[in-house]
Amino acid sequence: MASGRGSNFQALIDAAERGEIPDADLVHLIVNKKDAYALKRAKKHEIDYTIITSHDKSRREFDQSVLKLLKELNIEIVVLAGFMKILTPEFIDTYRNRILNIHPSLLPSFPGAHAHRDAIKYGVKVSGCTAHLVDEGIDSGPIIMQTSVILSDNETEESLADKILKYEHQILPKALQLLCSGKIVVNGRHVKIKSN
Ligand code: GRF
């Protein structure tokens, strides 16, 4: 699921084409905005897609429409690749520990929609990105993988976003492969990766 540019979606497509996520099948893209650039990427790579607009629906109506589609398509795992909406508890429960999100900070620091701005404002020297499972909170689910980056003295929101994005594109496909291969064991907040 994506809302905009879809560079993380593209990273999944590229990793799949390189054979790096052999246990995943990228079957369908869902966007909640008609003009999401992610759609162009799906078309180019011949991945089916559906637009389910969210601006004209309640959260519950939107989630119900998405869940109906996921059921029809027998979708097992949902990736939020730059999907900028909070899902309802019912949605989360239906896909418990099967929804993956990528977030541009070292969680639990700086959850929410302005992670880069918040990190710079706070004055941190290190930030990064987090691939995590989605629970009912905002960017609060069990952490699968993180990568750090060092901030420079003159870092801007844009430069930090660029710096972190490269690593998002690396860890999201890796986390997806782990999830799809059944190697992830979740115990409360703790995620362990089975070695075989
Ligand atoms: C990424 O930084 C992602 O972590 C955040 O929103 C941005 C989306 O970028 N949730 P893209 O649409 O994947 O290019």
Side-chain angles (χ1 to χ4, degrees):
M1 296 177 75
S3 294
R5 181 178 58 180
S7 71
N8 277 289
F9 172 53
Q10 185 70 50
L12 294 178
I13 295 171
D14 294 344
E17 288 181 353
R18 290 193 301 266
E20 290 169 9
I21 35 177
D23 292 308
D25 195 3
L26 302 177
V27 287
H28 210 93
L29 171 74
I30 299 175
V31 297
N32 65 322
K33 293 191 175 161
K34 277 195 202 114
D35 58 353
Y37 189 78
L39 287 168
K40 291 208 168 63
R41 303 181 192 268
K43 286 177 196 164
K44 185 168 174 211
H45 293 270
E46 297 181 339
I47 294 174
D48 289 344
Y49 60 86
T50 303
I51 304 167
I52 303 180
T53 52
S54 55
H55 67 92
D56 51 355
K57 296 178 187 65
S58 69
R59 260 176 80 196
R60 188 162 187 282
E61 281 168 345
F62 175 78
D63 282 17
Q64 292 301 323
S65 309
V66 175
L67 280 174
K68 186 167 169 279
L69 176 63
L70 297 179
K71 198 171 174 196
E72 280 164 16
L73 297 170
N74 283 318
I75 299 296
E76 292 172 295
I77 285 176
V78 177
V79 185
L80 307 183
F83 178 70
M84 306 305 274
K85 251 184 83 66
I86 309 292
L87 298 167
T88 54
E90 189 186 347
F91 191 113
I92 309 288
D93 207 34
T94 309
Y95 277 87
R96 175 76 55 195
N97 291 339
R98 292 187 294 144
I99 310 172
L100 178 63
N101 184 41
I102 183 76
H103 181 76
S105 76
L106 288 179
L107 293 170
S109 292
F110 315 120
H114 306 292
H116 311 102
R117 188 193 307 170
D118 295 344
I120 289 172
K121 203 166 152 197
Y122 197 92
V124 293
K125 303 293 185 194
V126 175
S127 190
C129 51
T130 304
H132 67 96
L133 296 169
V134 174
D135 68 5
E136 284 80 359
I138 295 175
D139 302 319
S140 59
I143 292 169
I144 299 174
M145 211 176 258
Q146 295 183 299
T147 298
S148 59
V149 305
I150 292 173
L151 276 73
S152 61
D153 289 344
N154 52 1
E155 204 75 59
T156 64
E157 215 176 312
E158 291 69 32
S159 66
L160 182 59
D162 285 349
K163 209 182 248 186
I164 292 175
L165 194 63
K166 273 195 279 191
Y167 294 100
E168 293 183 40
H169 295 166
Q170 291 178 15
I171 69 171
L172 184 63
K174 283 188 184 144
L176 180 60
Q177 172 55 21
L178 289 172
L179 191 57
C180 293
S181 62
K183 285 198 175 144
I184 282 182
V185 183
V186 186
N187 185 4
R189 284 215 52 80
H190 296 256
V191 170
K192 282 198 176 140
I193 317 261
K194 288 195 236 168
S195 46
N196 263 311

